[in-house]
Amino acid sequence: MMTGHVYIATSLDGFIARSDGSLDWLMKYPTDDGANYGFDDFMDSVDGLIMGRGTYEVVLGFGGEWPYKKPVVVLSSSLSQEDVDQTLEGKVRIVQATPKEIVQILSDEGWKRAYIDGGKLIQSFLQEGLIQDMTLTRIPILIGEGIPLFGPLDHDIDLEHIKTESFPSGFVMSKYEVRSGN
């Protein structure tokens, strides 16, 4: 069965984006310093991405070339495949499915590991026990309010700390495994 994996940045106060979806606070940090914080290795380890509609629209708003070489599945109840720009044909697929349904669909297609991206989507995959591990990078900024990475839970989710690394940029990256039985 395919496993879900999270690799995401948050402000120090736990937000993944401003309330309007903006990532301006994150984009002000240089990406040309040669440090990609293991992201390339992480991307090499997955078969593709599953993201929510909101995250998909934020990525589209970046403009320029589509940033992903791996296939992207967008879970959405409001978009259809006809909404995907022709330049993204074969790169982006819109699917209306629950987390468990998409895991089964992609497992049947041969996917082993998927990058799960987007706050609400990560929350729903966690609730369903479909996340194996999470790499969280805390950015040294407080933005006060926004879209939280985590939300209300109907049960505790136990995590095992694997490692934490700090970088000269002030970024602090921690990896956690989700304990089975959640």
Side-chain angles (χ1 to χ4, degrees):
M1 188 64 70
M2 184 195 82
T3 55
H5 306 268
V6 173
Y7 191 104
I8 196 163
T10 71
S11 62
L12 193 58
D13 46 357
F15 300 107
I16 58 172
R18 294 197 189 277
S19 298
D20 65 0
S22 170
L23 297 174
D24 63 322
W25 59 274
L26 180 59
M27 298 305 173
K28 72 182 190 178
Y29 291 92
T31 56
D32 59 355
D33 61 0
N36 73 3
Y37 307 97
F39 185 72
D40 289 344
D41 290 338
F42 174 77
M43 286 302 293
D44 288 344
S45 77
V46 298
D47 298 301
L49 293 83
I50 304 171
M51 65 176 59
R53 178 196 50 80
T55 301
Y56 172 64
E57 290 175 351
V58 167
V59 173
L60 285 176
F62 292 159
E65 188 176 321
W66 182 245
Y68 303 111
K69 307 271 185 266
K70 304 268 177 132
V72 174
V73 175
V74 178
L75 290 189
S76 175
S77 59
S78 60
L79 296 176
S80 69
Q81 196 61 39
E82 290 77 38
D83 295 313
V84 175
D85 189 273
Q86 285 183 321
T87 61
L88 298 178
E89 273 308 309
K91 297 177 183 179
V92 174
R93 175 171 38 154
I94 308 292
V95 178
Q96 293 185 2
T98 67
K100 284 187 177 181
E101 290 169 342
I102 196 61
V103 165
Q104 187 62 57
I105 290 166
L106 296 175
S107 293
D108 291 347
E109 292 177 9
W111 285 37
K112 302 288 184 226
R113 292 174 50 93
Y115 173 9
I116 311 301
D117 197 17
K120 289 179 183 173
L121 196 67
I122 291 169
Q123 291 173 23
S124 63
F125 270 68
L126 274 170
Q127 286 273 32
E128 296 289 331
L130 300 172
I131 299 293
Q132 182 173 337
D133 57 57
M134 299 185 293
T135 301
L136 310 176
T137 302
R138 288 175 306 286
I139 309 301
I141 188 171
L142 300 171
I143 64 173
E145 63 181 353
I147 300 169
L149 174 55
F150 301 113
L153 297 170
D154 56 14
H155 64 279
D156 292 349
I157 298 175
D158 293 321
L159 306 173
E160 179 179 345
H161 176 255
I162 303 303
K163 68 178 180 176
T164 294
E165 231 178 315
S166 62
F167 298 91
S169 62
F171 292 14
V172 177
M173 180 187 300
S174 298
K175 183 171 182 176
Y176 301 90
E177 281 191 13
V178 178
R179 293 193 177 169
S180 59
N182 284 311

